Amino acid sequence: MNLKELEEKLYKEIPLTEFMQIKLDKIDEKSLISSASFEKNKNDKNTGFAGSLSTLVTISAWCACYLNTIKLGYKDSMIAIIKSDTSYKAPVTKDFYCETTLPSQEQIDLFKKKLQNKKSSSLRIKSQIIEDGKVCVNFEGVYIIKV
Amino acid sequence: MNLKELEEKLYKEIPLTEFMQIKLDKIDEKSLISSASFEKNKNDKNTGFAGSLSTLVTISAWCACYLNTIKLGYKDSMIAIIKSDTSYKAPVTKDFYCETTLPSQEQIDLFKKKLQNKKSSSLRIKSQIIEDGKVCVNFEGVYIIKV
């Protein structure tokens, strides 16, 4: 599944992602880059709304889990966040730019093994919202995946 | 400021709150009750979308800070979340119901004192999303308030 297809799936199945104009822009071996419209996601102080910032990191990290699960050949899975820690370090003043760190090969190997043996595994994913080189939001979420 | 006026302020200034149909339903000395539409906030599994759940608790706790700041006579303030911990314990399957614990009198006294002396203070606020008596989401956020 490519990013465009996953983006369409999000829009179709999760109305909030379409309203927020969340985009899945780019992926390589290390990270997934996503973004969201500033206009749709601003607050009373004309900076990025915390709820929107939180939503972008949460769904981007979910996408990292989803893409890894698909890659291992599991088309039907249940992926749910179980906990998250978020720090808001600086206001965001333009379209949100989000960088999600993909699991390392070591993490993926363990993940694969657990899915094979137990049909269930978890991933801890980090995601950041960055503006002009400055980290504005730091997020870490734990996701459970059942196949 | 009553809840209806605050709700209108949210809709006017934070587009996401209107899309989510967030409502501020009720307040007493101990808690603020808020809610959001299930239809606007569902996910691919037809349960409550984590981003929406997170947004509802985050803005509800912000409202608790805002209402307390207004009550102390500060009309212009800057209220921002600095960190949050969220646990997702069970799926939500209908309109979201959110209960935010208001600060105790002891917390308010300290808050007031710090605002008077330093023009800045913080509040730690707990908020939960509950369905049929079961806690589905546990949230704790730290907010900084400058006047």
Side-chain angles (χ1 to χ4, degrees):
Chain A
M1 176 178 275
N2 65 32
L3 292 187
K4 194 69 203 159
E5 288 165 335
L6 180 50
E7 200 178 281
E8 279 164 14
K9 175 182 159 68
L10 295 183
Y11 288 1
K12 201 173 131 203
E13 297 176 346
I14 312 178
L16 201 71
T17 60
E18 186 166 24
F19 176 81
M20 289 177 60
Q21 297 178 8
I22 289 179
K23 309 259 179 227
L24 303 177
D25 299 308
K26 214 169 59 177
I27 192 166
D28 61 22
E29 280 174 21
K30 291 198 175 163
S31 55
L32 167 66
I33 306 301
S34 53
S35 58
S37 148
F38 180 73
E39 274 311 305
K40 295 284 186 179
N41 294 297
K42 61 189 183 182
N43 65 14
D44 56 308
K45 298 294 176 202
N46 213 31
T47 60
F49 172 44
S52 295
L53 296 165
S54 165
T55 297
L56 180 59
V57 286
T58 302
I59 192 66
S60 300
W62 182 94
C63 288
C65 296
Y66 184 81
L67 290 167
N68 268 288
T69 308
I70 288 278
K71 223 188 219 173
L72 295 177
Y74 299 105
K75 281 184 184 163
D76 279 321
S77 59
M78 193 287 299
I79 304 175
I81 187 166
I82 54 172
K83 69 181 294 299
S84 65
D85 294 334
T86 313
S87 303
Y88 300 86
K89 306 184 93 64
V92 175
T93 64
K94 50 188 174 186
D95 285 349
F96 304 177
Y97 173 92
C98 178
E99 201 171 305
T100 301
T101 307
L102 298 177
S104 65
Q105 193 55 51
E106 199 183 337
Q107 273 186 292
I108 292 173
D109 291 343
L110 185 63
F111 178 60
K112 187 177 173 180
K113 208 167 156 185
K114 282 202 181 162
L115 284 187
Q116 283 169 343
N117 295 341
K118 303 186 176 183
K119 303 277 174 213
S120 168
S121 189
S122 66
L123 285 172
R124 182 178 292 269
I125 305 279
K126 288 186 185 185
S127 191
Q128 295 184 315
I129 292 177
I130 299 170
E131 185 168 298
D132 298 331
K134 187 177 180 179
V135 175
C136 300
V137 179
N138 257 324
F139 164 91
E140 187 171 278
V142 180
Y143 294 75
I144 190 153
I145 297 97
K146 292 183 182 178
V147 295
Chain B
M1 177 179 274
N2 66 31
L3 293 188
K4 193 70 202 157
E5 288 165 336
L6 180 49
E7 200 177 282
E8 279 162 15
K9 175 182 159 67
L10 295 182
Y11 289 1
K12 200 174 131 203
E13 296 175 346
I14 312 179
L16 200 72
T17 61
E18 186 167 25
F19 176 82
M20 289 177 60
Q21 297 178 7
I22 289 178
K23 309 259 181 229
L24 303 177
D25 299 308
K26 216 168 59 177
I27 192 165
D28 62 20
E29 281 174 20
K30 290 196 175 164
S31 55
L32 166 66
I33 307 300
S34 53
S35 58
S37 149
F38 180 74
E39 275 312 305
K40 295 285 187 179
N41 294 296
K42 61 190 182 181
N43 65 14
D44 57 308
K45 299 294 176 202
N46 212 32
T47 60
F49 172 44
S52 295
L53 295 165
S54 164
T55 298
L56 180 58
V57 286
T58 302
I59 192 67
S60 299
W62 182 93
C63 287
C65 296
Y66 184 80
L67 289 166
N68 268 289
T69 308
I70 287 278
K71 221 187 221 175
L72 294 177
Y74 299 104
K75 282 185 183 163
D76 279 319
S77 58
M78 192 288 298
I79 303 174
I81 187 166
I82 52 172
K83 70 181 293 299
S84 65
D85 294 334
T86 312
S87 305
Y88 300 85
K89 307 185 93 64
V92 175
T93 65
K94 50 189 175 187
D95 285 350
F96 304 176
Y97 173 93
C98 178
E99 201 172 304
T100 302
T101 306
L102 298 177
S104 65
Q105 192 54 51
E106 200 182 336
Q107 272 185 291
I108 293 172
D109 290 344
L110 185 62
F111 177 62
K112 186 177 172 178
K113 208 168 154 182
K114 282 201 181 160
L115 284 188
Q116 283 169 343
N117 295 342
K118 302 185 178 184
K119 303 278 172 211
S120 168
S121 187
S122 66
L123 283 172
R124 182 178 290 268
I125 305 280
K126 287 186 185 186
S127 191
Q128 294 183 316
I129 293 178
I130 299 170
E131 184 167 298
D132 298 331
K134 188 176 180 178
V135 176
C136 300
V137 179
N138 257 325
F139 164 92
E140 188 170 278
V142 180
Y143 293 76
I144 191 153
I145 296 98
K146 292 183 182 177
V147 295

